[in-house]
Amino acid sequence: RYYLIPEQWRRRWIKYVQSADGTPDPGPLDPKVLLCEHGNLKFDPAHFYEKHRTNLHEVSKHDDAHLYALAPSTEVFELLQRHRTRLAPAAPSSASRCGA
């Protein structure tokens, strides 16, 4: 199982974790930035994988790689455990892609 996380936050988090020079904490992980004004996902991550089902090994990045990353649930749960007090509330689990 995988979860969407905002790519911009992910880059800041990686820089924070890898740096020893006092890089600022990236702040709370706010999944709301992945939702449209209707509360649905802005992206359909499954669409890319369905579209490239037969040639996924030939494609280096998904269409919205600059906007979000797919993170394994084990990593997301570890992040939630270690940084629970700094995390924003999770997005609704029933969110579907925005059709508007």
Side-chain angles (χ1 to χ4, degrees):
R1 188 171 237 187
Y2 289 84
Y3 290 84
L4 298 179
I5 59 171
E7 178 61 22
Q8 185 178 32
W9 185 91
R10 180 184 140 330
R11 279 188 250 123
R12 289 192 320 260
W13 175 255
I14 289 171
K15 186 175 180 180
Y16 170 72
V17 170
Q18 293 177 344
S19 98
D21 64 0
T23 298
D25 183 295
L29 173 56
D30 186 2
K32 293 177 190 164
V33 301
L34 299 173
L35 302 177
C36 72
E37 64 272 12
H38 307 102
N40 296 319
L41 288 173
K42 292 179 183 177
F43 323 102
D44 182 0
H47 173 73
F48 172 80
Y49 296 99
E50 290 168 359
K51 178 178 161 186
H52 297 287
R53 185 173 294 178
T54 60
N55 69 334
L56 190 57
H57 62 282
E58 299 170 6
V59 183
S60 62
K61 290 188 175 185
H62 56 83
D63 302 338
D64 296 312
H66 63 291
L67 301 172
Y68 72 85
L70 292 172
S73 60
T74 53
E75 291 179 19
V76 172
F77 293 146
E78 182 177 336
L79 180 64
L80 288 169
Q81 287 297 321
R82 290 185 180 194
H83 308 284
R84 184 176 305 276
T85 59
R86 293 193 329 231
L87 291 174
S93 60
S94 61
S96 60
R97 183 168 188 233
C98 185

XYZ file of all heavy atoms in Angstrom:
817
model
N 0.836 -1.178 0.000
C 0.000 0.000 0.000
C 0.885 1.247 0.000
O 1.884 1.294 0.690
C -0.888 -0.036 1.237
C -1.922 1.039 1.229
C -2.873 0.816 2.341
N -4.169 0.731 1.730
C -5.281 0.676 2.366
N -5.282 0.609 3.672
N -6.417 0.644 1.749
N 0.466 2.239 -0.772
C 1.213 3.490 -0.901
C 0.314 4.674 -0.585
O -0.902 4.588 -0.723
C 1.764 3.636 -2.318
C 2.875 2.680 -2.599
C 2.603 1.379 -2.999
C 4.192 3.064 -2.457
C 3.627 0.489 -3.235
C 5.219 2.181 -2.707
C 4.935 0.900 -3.093
O 5.942 0.017 -3.321
N 0.948 5.770 -0.179
C 0.236 7.000 0.130
C 0.845 8.144 -0.669
O 2.042 8.149 -0.944
C 0.333 7.324 1.629
C -0.465 6.360 2.471
C 0.070 5.147 2.851
C -1.757 6.670 2.860
C -0.667 4.256 3.614
C -2.497 5.786 3.623
C -1.944 4.587 3.995
O -2.675 3.701 4.739
N 0.006 9.100 -1.026
C 0.489 10.293 -1.702
C 1.004 11.287 -0.667
O 0.355 11.501 0.353
C -0.648 10.971 -2.475
C -1.308 10.199 -3.595
C -2.422 11.046 -4.202
C -0.314 9.819 -4.654
N 2.157 11.859 -0.957
C 2.651 12.963 -0.135
C 3.075 14.077 -1.085
O 3.502 13.814 -2.209
C 3.811 12.546 0.796
C 4.997 12.015 0.002
C 3.357 11.536 1.833
C 6.230 11.805 0.849
N 2.947 15.327 -0.678
C 3.334 16.440 -1.547
C 4.841 16.392 -1.844
O 5.661 16.263 -0.933
C 2.985 17.687 -0.725
C 1.989 17.217 0.291
C 2.339 15.788 0.574
N 5.199 16.475 -3.093
C 6.604 16.392 -3.510
C 7.428 17.538 -2.931
O 8.575 17.344 -2.515
C 6.711 16.366 -5.032
C 8.128 16.332 -5.551
C 8.942 15.116 -5.121
O 8.358 14.075 -4.758
O 10.182 15.218 -5.139
N 6.874 18.720 -2.881
C 7.610 19.863 -2.341
C 7.975 19.607 -0.876
O 9.102 19.870 -0.453
C 6.776 21.130 -2.484
C 7.499 22.372 -2.053
C 6.649 23.613 -2.251
O 5.425 23.558 -2.146
N 7.296 24.714 -2.540
N 7.044 19.078 -0.093
C 7.323 18.756 1.303
C 8.373 17.655 1.386
O 9.283 17.713 2.205
C 6.046 18.336 2.020
C 6.269 18.108 3.482
C 6.145 19.031 4.476
C 6.696 16.891 4.108
N 6.464 18.462 5.688
C 6.804 17.145 5.485
C 6.989 15.620 3.644
C 7.195 16.175 6.394
C 7.382 14.649 4.547
C 7.478 14.929 5.909
N 8.235 16.642 0.529
C 9.182 15.519 0.519
C 10.597 16.005 0.277
O 11.542 15.571 0.930
C 8.766 14.497 -0.532
C 9.677 13.283 -0.633
C 9.203 12.412 -1.767
N 10.097 11.779 -2.649
C 11.303 12.119 -3.076
N 11.861 13.187 -2.661
N 11.987 11.417 -3.918
N 10.799 16.927 -0.669
C 12.143 17.470 -0.939
C 12.694 18.212 0.279
O 13.868 18.069 0.617
C 12.114 18.394 -2.159
C 12.165 17.603 -3.458
C 12.326 18.526 -4.648
N 11.059 18.490 -5.381
C 10.309 19.514 -5.672
N 10.680 20.737 -5.362
N 9.174 19.377 -6.313
N 11.839 18.995 0.932
C 12.285 19.724 2.132
C 12.624 18.743 3.250
O 13.587 18.947 3.997
C 11.215 20.712 2.588
C 11.056 21.891 1.657
C 10.210 23.015 2.256
N 9.055 22.602 3.003
C 7.793 22.596 2.547
N 7.534 23.001 1.324
N 6.803 22.211 3.317
N 11.832 17.688 3.389
C 12.076 16.688 4.425
C 13.416 15.997 4.187
O 14.213 15.827 5.112
C 10.950 15.666 4.463
C 11.212 14.557 5.431
C 11.582 13.282 5.148
C 11.159 14.642 6.857
N 11.749 12.563 6.300
C 11.502 13.386 7.367
C 10.858 15.669 7.742
C 11.551 13.118 8.726
C 10.908 15.394 9.102
C 11.251 14.139 9.573
N 13.694 15.581 2.973
C 14.951 14.906 2.650
C 16.136 15.828 2.943
O 17.130 15.405 3.530
C 14.957 14.422 1.183
C 13.984 13.252 1.026
C 16.362 14.018 0.748
C 13.746 12.821 -0.398
N 16.022 17.076 2.550
C 17.094 18.034 2.814
C 17.304 18.186 4.317
O 18.439 18.222 4.799
C 16.762 19.379 2.179
C 17.863 20.378 2.274
C 17.519 21.644 1.514
C 18.670 22.637 1.625
N 18.371 23.866 0.898
N 16.226 18.262 5.078
C 16.296 18.395 6.531
C 16.975 17.175 7.162
O 17.860 17.306 8.004
C 14.881 18.580 7.089
C 14.780 18.494 8.586
C 15.262 19.510 9.393
C 14.173 17.396 9.188
C 15.153 19.441 10.782
C 14.061 17.317 10.566
C 14.555 18.338 11.358
O 14.438 18.264 12.717
N 16.581 15.996 6.759
C 17.110 14.760 7.332
C 18.590 14.578 6.976
O 19.378 14.123 7.797
C 16.278 13.541 6.867
C 16.938 12.240 7.238
C 14.880 13.609 7.435
N 18.966 14.942 5.763
C 20.335 14.708 5.310
C 21.307 15.807 5.716
O 22.507 15.616 5.623
C 20.361 14.545 3.789
C 19.670 13.292 3.328
C 19.638 13.166 1.819
O 19.858 14.127 1.093
N 19.359 11.972 1.338
N 20.810 16.945 6.164
C 21.719 18.048 6.440
C 22.156 18.073 7.890
O 21.448 17.646 8.787
C 21.066 19.369 6.062
O 20.513 19.994 7.172
N 23.335 18.605 8.073
C 23.865 18.793 9.423
C 24.098 20.279 9.670
O 24.719 20.655 10.641
C 25.160 18.015 9.579
N 23.590 21.102 8.764
C 23.881 22.536 8.832
C 22.717 23.362 9.371
O 22.673 24.568 9.190
C 24.281 23.055 7.462
C 23.155 22.955 6.435
O 22.051 22.489 6.786
O 23.377 23.350 5.284
N 21.781 22.724 10.035
C 20.671 23.475 10.619
C 19.572 23.819 9.636
O 18.852 24.789 9.825
N 19.420 23.031 8.587
C 18.319 23.232 7.653
C 17.010 23.195 8.432
O 16.811 22.311 9.264
C 18.314 22.133 6.570
O 19.528 22.216 5.833
C 17.139 22.264 5.630
N 16.114 24.156 8.189
C 14.867 24.197 8.968
C 13.988 22.973 8.745
O 13.952 22.409 7.660
C 14.164 25.463 8.476
C 14.933 25.973 7.331
C 16.219 25.219 7.223
N 13.292 22.600 9.789
C 12.307 21.529 9.736
C 11.292 21.882 8.648
O 10.907 23.043 8.513
C 11.628 21.451 11.104
C 10.629 20.338 11.192
O 9.612 20.393 10.480
O 10.843 19.425 11.993
N 10.838 20.907 7.857
C 9.902 21.208 6.774
C 8.498 21.583 7.232
O 7.658 21.951 6.422
C 9.873 19.929 5.955
C 10.229 18.865 6.923
C 11.187 19.497 7.902
N 8.235 21.473 8.521
C 6.895 21.790 9.008
C 5.977 20.594 8.886
O 6.395 19.506 8.516
N 4.710 20.795 9.184
C 3.777 19.666 9.180
C 3.530 19.119 7.775
O 3.548 19.867 6.801
C 2.493 20.242 9.762
C 2.622 21.706 9.678
C 4.082 22.036 9.600
N 3.353 17.832 7.717
C 2.973 17.171 6.472
C 1.486 17.416 6.296
O 0.672 16.895 7.058
C 3.278 15.675 6.555
C 2.806 14.789 5.413
C 3.352 15.270 4.069
C 3.216 13.356 5.658
N 1.126 18.238 5.338
C -0.271 18.624 5.146
C -0.807 18.016 3.865
O -0.598 18.536 2.782
C -0.392 20.143 5.108
C -1.839 20.598 5.047
O -2.748 19.741 5.076
O -2.051 21.816 4.965
N -1.520 16.901 3.959
C -2.048 16.247 2.768
C -3.156 17.045 2.076
O -3.538 16.750 0.951
C -2.574 14.912 3.290
C -2.838 15.148 4.728
C -1.867 16.187 5.178
N -3.662 18.087 2.733
C -4.745 18.876 2.138
C -4.320 19.559 0.834
O -5.167 19.881 0.014
C -5.256 19.902 3.139
C -5.961 19.279 4.323
C -6.370 20.340 5.311
C -6.847 19.700 6.587
N -6.908 20.652 7.682
N -3.014 19.785 0.661
C -2.567 20.427 -0.577
C -2.776 19.521 -1.789
O -2.707 19.982 -2.924
C -1.090 20.893 -0.502
C -0.888 21.875 0.628
C -0.147 19.723 -0.388
N -3.048 18.245 -1.559
C -3.311 17.309 -2.646
C -4.794 17.249 -3.020
O -5.171 16.532 -3.931
C -2.833 15.904 -2.259
C -1.339 15.772 -1.957
C -1.044 14.387 -1.424
C -0.511 16.086 -3.188
N -5.609 18.014 -2.294
C -7.049 17.983 -2.528
C -7.520 19.241 -3.250
O -6.982 20.331 -3.041
C -7.796 17.867 -1.199
C -7.462 16.651 -0.337
C -8.225 16.709 0.974
C -7.733 15.362 -1.070
N -8.551 19.092 -4.055
C -9.160 20.230 -4.734
C -10.127 20.928 -3.783
O -10.307 20.511 -2.643
C -9.901 19.765 -5.992
S -11.433 18.863 -5.628
N -10.767 21.966 -4.278
C -11.705 22.726 -3.440
C -12.930 21.900 -3.036
O -13.656 22.270 -2.119
C -12.138 24.029 -4.137
C -12.930 23.820 -5.415
C -12.062 23.677 -6.664
O -10.836 23.512 -6.555
O -12.633 23.708 -7.766
N -13.145 20.759 -3.700
C -14.283 19.887 -3.378
C -13.909 18.805 -2.367
O -14.744 17.994 -1.987
C -14.816 19.229 -4.651
C -15.120 20.213 -5.724
N -14.269 20.419 -6.786
C -16.142 21.071 -5.886
C -14.771 21.363 -7.566
N -15.912 21.775 -7.044
N -12.628 18.749 -1.983
C -12.172 17.739 -1.041
C -11.766 16.430 -1.683
O -11.539 15.437 -0.991
N -11.661 16.404 -3.012
C -11.241 15.203 -3.736
C -9.779 15.346 -4.156
O -9.239 16.448 -4.204
C -12.105 15.005 -4.986
C -13.547 14.758 -4.643
O -13.859 14.034 -3.709
N -14.441 15.375 -5.379
N -9.146 14.227 -4.491
C -7.771 14.279 -4.965
C -7.674 15.077 -6.265
O -8.522 14.943 -7.140
C -7.241 12.867 -5.217
C -6.965 12.026 -3.982
C -6.614 10.601 -4.398
C -5.851 12.626 -3.156
N -6.615 15.884 -6.379
C -6.360 16.632 -7.611
C -5.801 15.715 -8.696
O -5.849 16.052 -9.872
C -5.339 17.741 -7.356
C -5.818 18.854 -6.471
C -4.695 19.870 -6.296
C -5.070 20.978 -5.353
N -3.942 21.918 -5.138
N -5.251 14.579 -8.307
C -4.550 13.687 -9.218
C -5.143 12.287 -9.149
O -5.757 11.928 -8.164
C -3.070 13.595 -8.833
C -2.507 14.886 -8.341
C -2.319 15.125 -7.002
C -2.187 15.897 -9.242
C -1.812 16.324 -6.546
C -1.684 17.100 -8.798
C -1.488 17.313 -7.455
N -4.897 11.523 -10.170
C -5.302 10.121 -10.170
C -4.029 9.294 -10.329
O -3.602 9.013 -11.448
C -6.272 9.838 -11.312
C -6.759 8.405 -11.318
O -6.357 7.618 -10.441
O -7.543 8.068 -12.214
N -3.389 8.929 -9.229
C -2.124 8.211 -9.342
C -2.259 6.865 -10.045
O -1.329 6.416 -10.706
C -1.678 8.026 -7.896
C -2.896 8.221 -7.084
C -3.802 9.118 -7.861
N -3.399 6.236 -9.944
C -3.590 4.939 -10.593
C -3.625 5.073 -12.109
O -3.226 4.152 -12.824
C -4.871 4.291 -10.098
N -4.061 6.219 -12.613
C -4.165 6.421 -14.059
C -2.819 6.208 -14.757
O -2.745 5.545 -15.789
C -4.691 7.827 -14.368
C -4.668 8.173 -15.813
N -5.557 7.640 -16.725
C -3.844 8.982 -16.525
C -5.284 8.109 -17.925
N -4.247 8.927 -17.828
N -1.753 6.756 -14.201
C -0.428 6.615 -14.808
C -0.029 5.145 -14.905
O 0.443 4.692 -15.936
C 0.611 7.391 -13.995
C 2.020 7.139 -14.444
C 2.523 7.784 -15.562
C 2.830 6.255 -13.765
C 3.812 7.548 -15.987
C 4.120 6.014 -14.178
C 4.613 6.664 -15.294
N -0.223 4.409 -13.822
C 0.199 3.014 -13.799
C -0.680 2.148 -14.700
O -0.197 1.210 -15.324
C 0.245 2.501 -12.363
C 1.283 3.262 -11.581
C 0.924 4.304 -10.746
C 2.637 2.988 -11.735
C 1.888 5.037 -10.065
C 3.600 3.718 -11.065
C 3.216 4.735 -10.230
O 4.164 5.467 -9.570
N -1.938 2.485 -14.811
C -2.817 1.763 -15.730
C -2.440 2.080 -17.173
O -2.425 1.202 -18.029
C -4.274 2.129 -15.459
C -4.772 1.583 -14.143
C -6.114 2.170 -13.732
O -6.670 3.016 -14.456
O -6.597 1.778 -12.653
N -2.125 3.333 -17.437
C -1.751 3.779 -18.780
C -0.451 3.119 -19.252
O -0.294 2.811 -20.425
C -1.595 5.302 -18.749
C -1.166 5.951 -20.027
C -1.118 7.455 -19.815
C -0.298 8.158 -20.851
N -0.136 9.587 -20.553
N 0.474 2.894 -18.329
C 1.788 2.338 -18.678
C 1.964 0.910 -18.165
O 3.085 0.482 -17.906
C 2.894 3.235 -18.108
C 2.884 4.602 -18.672
N 3.287 4.891 -19.956
C 2.490 5.784 -18.137
C 3.160 6.179 -20.185
N 2.665 6.748 -19.101
N 0.879 0.207 -18.034
C 0.916 -1.150 -17.478
C 1.918 -2.055 -18.198
O 2.641 -2.809 -17.562
C -0.478 -1.759 -17.553
C -0.590 -3.112 -16.896
C -2.004 -3.555 -16.865
N -2.721 -2.630 -15.974
C -4.006 -2.699 -15.733
N -4.732 -3.615 -16.297
N -4.577 -1.845 -14.926
N 2.004 -1.948 -19.505
C 2.874 -2.846 -20.259
C 4.287 -2.304 -20.449
O 5.179 -3.049 -20.822
C 2.270 -3.153 -21.649
O 2.119 -1.919 -22.364
C 0.944 -3.859 -21.516
N 4.497 -1.011 -20.210
C 5.830 -0.451 -20.423
C 6.328 0.382 -19.244
O 7.138 1.289 -19.413
C 5.853 0.395 -21.696
C 5.034 1.668 -21.556
O 4.095 1.740 -20.780
N 5.403 2.680 -22.328
N 5.883 0.060 -18.053
C 6.239 0.838 -16.872
C 7.754 0.898 -16.678
O 8.291 1.922 -16.264
C 5.563 0.260 -15.631
C 5.651 1.089 -14.359
C 5.060 2.486 -14.580
C 4.928 0.397 -13.228
N 8.449 -0.169 -17.004
C 9.901 -0.200 -16.851
C 10.611 0.795 -17.776
O 11.753 1.151 -17.551
C 10.427 -1.622 -17.087
C 10.153 -2.122 -18.461
N 8.904 -2.576 -18.836
C 10.936 -2.218 -19.551
C 8.944 -2.941 -20.113
N 10.168 -2.738 -20.566
N 9.925 1.275 -18.811
C 10.513 2.219 -19.758
C 10.259 3.680 -19.378
O 10.876 4.582 -19.931
C 9.942 1.973 -21.164
C 10.227 0.594 -21.698
C 9.447 0.304 -22.972
O 8.771 1.209 -23.503
O 9.506 -0.851 -23.427
N 9.365 3.916 -18.440
C 8.977 5.275 -18.067
C 9.664 5.623 -16.752
O 9.541 4.900 -15.769
C 7.440 5.376 -17.908
C 7.027 6.796 -17.587
C 6.757 4.881 -19.172
N 10.377 6.755 -16.731
C 11.148 7.081 -15.535
C 10.326 7.758 -14.442
O 10.589 7.558 -13.266
C 12.334 7.969 -15.901
O 11.879 9.183 -16.457
N 9.353 8.592 -14.787
C 8.564 9.306 -13.785
C 7.100 9.349 -14.198
O 6.782 9.368 -15.375
C 9.060 10.734 -13.624
C 10.400 10.844 -12.963
C 10.711 12.278 -12.665
C 12.004 12.367 -11.898
N 12.310 13.720 -11.487
N 6.237 9.437 -13.193
C 4.822 9.568 -13.498
C 4.523 11.013 -13.883
O 5.314 11.928 -13.637
C 3.941 9.076 -12.349
C 4.196 9.720 -11.037
N 3.641 10.928 -10.684
C 4.949 9.331 -9.986
C 4.038 11.249 -9.481
N 4.834 10.301 -9.031
N 3.391 11.233 -14.484
C 3.028 12.533 -15.058
C 3.045 13.681 -14.056
O 3.368 14.810 -14.401
C 1.639 12.448 -15.708
C 1.567 11.388 -16.794
O 2.623 11.016 -17.345
O 0.454 10.923 -17.089
N 2.696 13.427 -12.814
C 2.617 14.472 -11.799
C 3.739 14.358 -10.765
O 3.577 14.777 -9.621
C 1.256 14.416 -11.100
C 0.116 14.706 -12.061
O 0.216 15.687 -12.810
O -0.864 13.943 -12.060
N 4.895 13.837 -11.170
C 6.007 13.616 -10.237
C 6.477 14.907 -9.584
O 6.993 14.885 -8.478
C 7.166 12.938 -10.953
N 6.285 16.014 -10.248
C 6.704 17.295 -9.669
C 5.734 17.782 -8.583
O 6.038 18.709 -7.846
C 6.838 18.344 -10.764
C 5.556 18.644 -11.468
N 4.923 17.737 -12.300
C 4.757 19.737 -11.440
C 3.807 18.260 -12.762
N 3.680 19.468 -12.250
N 4.566 17.137 -8.470
C 3.548 17.564 -7.519
C 3.392 16.638 -6.311
O 3.102 17.092 -5.218
C 2.200 17.689 -8.226
C 2.173 18.685 -9.392
C 0.857 18.581 -10.143
C 2.400 20.096 -8.880
N 3.545 15.338 -6.533
C 3.383 14.401 -5.424
C 4.294 13.198 -5.607
O 4.776 12.930 -6.702
C 1.932 13.934 -5.285
C 1.466 12.994 -6.372
C 1.699 11.627 -6.278
C 0.805 13.467 -7.486
C 1.284 10.761 -7.272
C 0.382 12.599 -8.488
C 0.619 11.260 -8.372
O 0.211 10.411 -9.356
N 4.527 12.519 -4.512
C 5.316 11.288 -4.527
C 4.480 10.188 -3.894
O 3.616 10.450 -3.061
C 6.604 11.481 -3.742
N 4.734 8.978 -4.311
C 4.114 7.820 -3.692
C 5.079 7.296 -2.642
O 6.246 7.052 -2.939
C 3.833 6.734 -4.733
C 2.758 7.063 -5.756
C 2.714 5.995 -6.840
C 1.414 7.194 -5.092
N 4.613 7.157 -1.431
C 5.459 6.672 -0.348
C 4.877 5.380 0.206
O 3.664 5.288 0.407
C 5.539 7.718 0.755
N 5.727 4.391 0.445
C 5.232 3.131 1.022
C 4.619 3.379 2.404
O 5.088 4.226 3.164
C 6.487 2.267 1.144
C 7.508 2.913 0.276
C 7.150 4.366 0.193
N 3.584 2.637 2.712
C 2.878 2.829 3.977
C 3.811 2.678 5.170
O 3.661 3.395 6.163
C 1.704 1.859 4.092
O 2.154 0.515 4.042
N 4.796 1.791 5.086
C 5.714 1.613 6.215
C 6.465 2.908 6.519
O 6.663 3.260 7.678
C 6.722 0.483 5.939
O 7.362 0.726 4.686
C 6.041 -0.865 5.918
N 6.877 3.635 5.470
C 7.576 4.902 5.683
C 6.638 5.968 6.226
O 7.005 6.750 7.104
C 8.211 5.378 4.381
C 9.371 4.519 3.943
C 9.977 4.989 2.628
O 9.764 6.154 2.239
O 10.671 4.177 2.006
N 5.424 6.016 5.701
C 4.452 7.010 6.172
C 4.106 6.750 7.631
O 4.077 7.681 8.448
C 3.187 7.007 5.286
C 2.102 7.897 5.878
C 3.535 7.453 3.874
N 3.881 5.498 7.993
C 3.546 5.173 9.381
C 4.711 5.493 10.315
O 4.512 5.975 11.425
C 3.119 3.722 9.522
C 1.817 3.410 8.842
C 1.600 2.182 8.249
C 0.798 4.352 8.781
C 0.396 1.899 7.619
C -0.408 4.077 8.151
C -0.604 2.850 7.568
N 5.938 5.244 9.857
C 7.105 5.575 10.674
C 7.195 7.092 10.869
O 7.453 7.574 11.972
C 8.382 5.058 10.012
C 9.616 5.322 10.835
C 10.865 4.751 10.203
O 10.769 3.796 9.412
O 11.954 5.282 10.501
N 6.954 7.829 9.818
C 6.965 9.291 9.911
C 5.885 9.775 10.876
O 6.127 10.646 11.706
C 6.739 9.899 8.524
C 6.719 11.405 8.436
C 8.070 11.986 8.811
C 6.333 11.835 7.037
N 4.710 9.186 10.799
C 3.621 9.559 11.703
C 3.981 9.264 13.161
O 3.690 10.056 14.045
C 2.342 8.816 11.329
C 1.659 9.270 10.050
C 0.572 8.280 9.650
C 1.082 10.655 10.212
N 4.621 8.133 13.400
C 4.998 7.766 14.763
C 6.062 8.704 15.326
O 5.987 9.126 16.465
C 5.506 6.317 14.819
C 4.420 5.294 14.660
C 3.409 5.362 15.786
O 3.759 5.576 16.932
N 2.145 5.193 15.452
N 7.052 9.030 14.517
C 8.171 9.850 14.994
C 7.827 11.323 15.115
O 8.422 12.028 15.906
C 9.357 9.702 14.057
C 9.997 8.355 14.128
C 11.216 8.316 13.271
N 11.813 7.007 13.344
C 13.027 6.727 12.929
N 13.762 7.678 12.411
N 13.505 5.519 13.021
N 6.904 11.792 14.320
C 6.635 13.225 14.246
C 5.160 13.543 14.393
O 4.665 14.496 13.814
C 7.183 13.784 12.933
C 8.613 13.428 12.723
N 9.626 14.054 13.389
C 9.184 12.475 11.960
C 10.767 13.508 13.037
N 10.533 12.552 12.174
N 4.468 12.758 15.176
C 3.020 12.891 15.332
C 2.592 14.301 15.703
O 1.622 14.819 15.193
C 2.523 11.903 16.377
C 1.024 11.907 16.544
C 0.568 10.842 17.516
N 1.021 9.518 17.171
C 0.414 8.715 16.300
N -0.658 9.118 15.680
N 0.880 7.517 16.055
N 3.298 14.963 16.575
C 2.857 16.273 17.042
C 3.014 17.354 15.978
O 2.401 18.400 16.076
C 3.635 16.704 18.296
O 5.028 16.742 17.988
C 3.388 15.748 19.438
N 3.800 17.108 14.962
C 4.019 18.122 13.938
C 3.205 17.869 12.678
O 3.307 18.609 11.724
C 5.499 18.168 13.568
C 6.352 18.664 14.701
C 7.735 19.000 14.254
N 8.206 18.194 13.167
C 9.363 17.553 13.137
N 10.173 17.619 14.158
N 9.731 16.855 12.099
N 2.430 16.819 12.647
C 1.693 16.476 11.430
C 0.308 17.096 11.409
O -0.357 17.191 12.425
C 1.556 14.964 11.292
C 2.861 14.236 11.000
C 2.626 12.741 11.036
C 3.442 14.645 9.673
N -0.099 17.493 10.227
C -1.455 18.002 10.032
C -2.411 16.812 9.963
O -1.992 15.687 9.711
C -1.516 18.804 8.739
N -3.705 17.036 10.143
C -4.671 15.941 10.034
C -4.627 15.307 8.648
O -4.380 15.989 7.651
C -6.017 16.627 10.263
C -5.695 17.916 10.916
C -4.311 18.300 10.486
N -4.853 14.028 8.595
C -4.822 13.299 7.328
C -6.021 13.656 6.469
O -7.073 14.058 6.964
C -4.815 11.794 7.606
N -5.841 13.485 5.174
C -6.935 13.715 4.229
C -7.975 12.622 4.398
O -7.666 11.526 4.851
C -6.390 13.693 2.802
N -9.217 12.904 4.039
C -10.259 11.874 4.143
C -9.891 10.648 3.320
O -9.433 10.774 2.197
C -11.497 12.554 3.560
C -11.186 13.999 3.468
C -9.697 14.146 3.488
N -10.058 9.468 3.893
C -9.684 8.253 3.191
C -10.617 7.954 2.027
O -10.279 7.192 1.128
C -9.681 7.067 4.157
O -10.966 6.903 4.708
N -11.777 8.559 2.010
C -12.739 8.290 0.939
C -12.599 9.282 -0.226
O -13.421 9.297 -1.124
C -14.158 8.369 1.484
O -14.398 9.670 1.996
N -11.533 10.090 -0.200
C -11.359 11.094 -1.254
C -11.187 10.401 -2.606
O -10.477 9.431 -2.750
C -10.138 11.952 -0.959
N -11.865 10.915 -3.597
C -11.727 10.417 -4.956
C -11.201 11.553 -5.808
O -11.144 12.684 -5.381
C -13.063 9.913 -5.482
O -13.996 10.963 -5.465
N -10.834 11.255 -7.041
C -10.270 12.280 -7.904
C -11.317 13.320 -8.232
O -12.471 13.023 -8.472
C -9.739 11.647 -9.193
C -9.078 12.702 -10.061
C -8.309 12.073 -11.179
N -7.562 13.112 -11.859
C -7.616 13.308 -13.156
N -8.346 12.525 -13.913
N -6.921 14.263 -13.704
N -10.866 14.558 -8.269
C -11.765 15.662 -8.565
C -12.223 15.597 -10.012
O -11.411 15.481 -10.920
C -11.086 17.008 -8.307
S -12.197 18.404 -8.513
N -13.492 15.629 -10.214
C -14.034 15.581 -11.563
C -14.444 16.943 -12.078
O -14.912 17.091 -13.196
N -14.265 17.968 -11.264
C -14.680 19.317 -11.654
C -13.651 19.984 -12.534
O -12.527 19.687 -12.557
C -14.925 20.167 -10.421
